Amino acid sequence: MSYQVQAFLDNDSETFSYVVTDNATRKAVIIDPVLDFDYKAGRTRTDSAEQILAYVKQHNLQVEWLLETHAHADHLSAAPFLRSKLGAKVAIGAEITQVQTIFKDVFNLEKEFLPNGSQFDRLFADGDTLQVGEMTIRALHLPGHTPADLAYIINEQAAFVGDTLFMPDVGTARCDFPGGSAATLYDSIQKLLALPDSTEMYICHDYPPEGRNHEYLTSVAAQKQHNIHVGGGVSKADFVKRREARDATLAMPRLILPSVQVNIRAGQLPPAEANGTTYLKVPINLL
């Protein structure tokens, strides 16, 4: 294979981050890096990101891009920290502007915050490509979980799918966040399942059933056959009914309030207030 994938698991949020390296040039991308956050104490740490940084340095990689699959609701992004260490640029899907607009209102953010995507170095539209060494990375727009979700398709062999699909025995992403849609997610999943059966599929989160360890790698064929929510040719109407019923039983993610405020800013914290301290907001009785 012309590229190499190294996965990193953040156990607290059950998130997988990835370093994908072009073997010929040692140029690389990092996908969905995690910033550790102790909500009770209001403190950030960089332990998870430093594991990635150590791997990059050990293998003498040139990281060109930090790629976000979407504005995550369950962890803060470590993109700014890694950018400061590696000089890489930060990218996300172009529809992040929709997410920014929604959550600027939810959090009543400062008027200086512009929901135009300018916080990121590049916004990918559906079908846009990025060349990193000899790797061709294609953006596939997958709205439904959020309006801005992307998969990154590398050399038409591997798909990094964010939260759209989980391991087959876990199913699919929830759709009850602002801007989400189960019907739209079904259509997006069909785009993924239309990829060649042999396409490797790397997931962003795993919530393993009892008796199974965390896993991150599956395939299009396995999803088509075994995914508990969409496998076996489930109809759109049945999927929407089941997905919406399940979503109605789910609690909000533990870190959704801090995560979204930070991640719509490309991982930057809100500006400090007059006393020099940065604060995150908690809207009451809104979500």
Side-chain angles (χ1 to χ4, degrees):
M1 187 172 289
S2 61
Y3 58 88
Q4 180 175 346
V5 179
Q6 180 66 44
F8 296 84
L9 173 63
D10 171 60
N11 280 290
D12 181 61
S13 62
E14 296 181 285
T15 302
F16 282 102
S17 306
Y18 298 96
V19 178
V20 188
T21 303
D22 172 46
N23 290 330
T25 64
R26 311 307 293 163
K27 293 183 178 180
V29 298
I30 297 173
I31 301 174
D32 292 334
V34 175
L35 181 71
D36 306 296
F37 183 62
D38 182 347
Y39 203 0
K40 297 186 295 295
R43 288 193 172 274
T44 61
R45 302 188 323 278
T46 57
D47 300 14
S48 296
E50 286 175 359
Q51 291 181 29
I52 295 175
L53 188 61
Y55 174 85
V56 167
K57 291 182 176 179
Q58 177 186 354
H59 295 276
N60 195 28
L61 305 183
Q62 181 183 342
V63 177
E64 296 194 341
W65 287 91
L66 302 159
L67 304 178
E68 301 284 5
T69 55
H70 63 295
H72 304 272
D74 41 30
H75 69 267
L76 281 66
S77 171
F81 170 76
L82 290 169
R83 181 180 183 176
S84 71
K85 300 294 184 181
L86 299 171
K89 297 179 180 179
V90 184
I92 201 168
E95 301 305 321
I96 188 62
T97 56
Q98 288 190 44
V99 181
Q100 290 176 325
T101 298
I102 291 167
F103 283 100
K104 181 172 184 176
D105 288 342
V106 167
F107 292 110
N108 192 30
L109 298 181
E110 70 279 3
K111 67 178 188 293
E112 292 82 9
F113 176 79
L114 300 178
N116 62 5
S118 61
Q119 301 81 4
F120 298 84
D121 297 298
R122 181 166 175 181
L123 304 181
F124 290 113
D126 186 46
D128 282 354
T129 60
L130 177 69
Q131 198 69 31
V132 177
E134 296 182 5
M135 295 189 298
T136 300
I137 304 172
R138 176 169 64 91
L140 181 63
H141 184 213
L142 301 172
H145 175 56
T146 82
D149 281 60
L150 287 182
Y152 294 104
I153 314 296
I154 296 185
N155 290 356
E156 300 301 325
Q157 296 175 306
F160 294 79
V161 300
D163 288 9
T164 299
L165 285 172
F166 301 133
M167 295 300 292
D169 59 355
V170 178
T172 65
R174 64 193 295 171
C175 302
D176 57 332
F177 299 152
S181 164
T184 302
L185 181 68
Y186 181 88
D187 292 339
S188 292
I189 290 170
Q190 300 315 304
K191 293 185 191 179
L192 286 174
L193 299 185
L195 295 170
D197 283 357
S198 60
T199 305
E200 295 180 335
M201 189 173 287
Y202 293 85
I203 64 162
C204 185
H205 297 284
D206 187 31
Y207 310 107
E210 187 175 353
R212 176 169 75 72
N213 293 327
H214 285 94
E215 298 178 15
Y216 59 84
L217 176 59
T218 180
S219 69
V220 169
Q223 296 284 18
K224 288 164 71 171
Q225 295 170 21
H226 303 300
N227 187 286
I228 60 173
H229 295 159
V230 293
V234 171
S235 72
K236 185 174 184 177
D238 284 346
F239 172 78
V240 170
K241 181 179 179 180
R242 283 193 252 171
R243 184 71 262 173
E244 291 181 345
R246 175 165 172 73
D247 288 349
T249 71
L250 299 177
M252 283 288 107
R254 175 172 54 94
L255 295 181
I256 185 172
L257 296 177
S259 295
V260 174
Q261 289 177 75
V262 169
N263 293 338
I264 62 173
R265 304 174 187 267
Q268 298 287 350
L269 296 174
E273 298 196 9
N275 63 354
T277 300
T278 296
Y279 295 88
L280 294 168
K281 293 184 175 183
V282 178
I284 303 301
N285 298 327
L286 184 58
L287 294 182

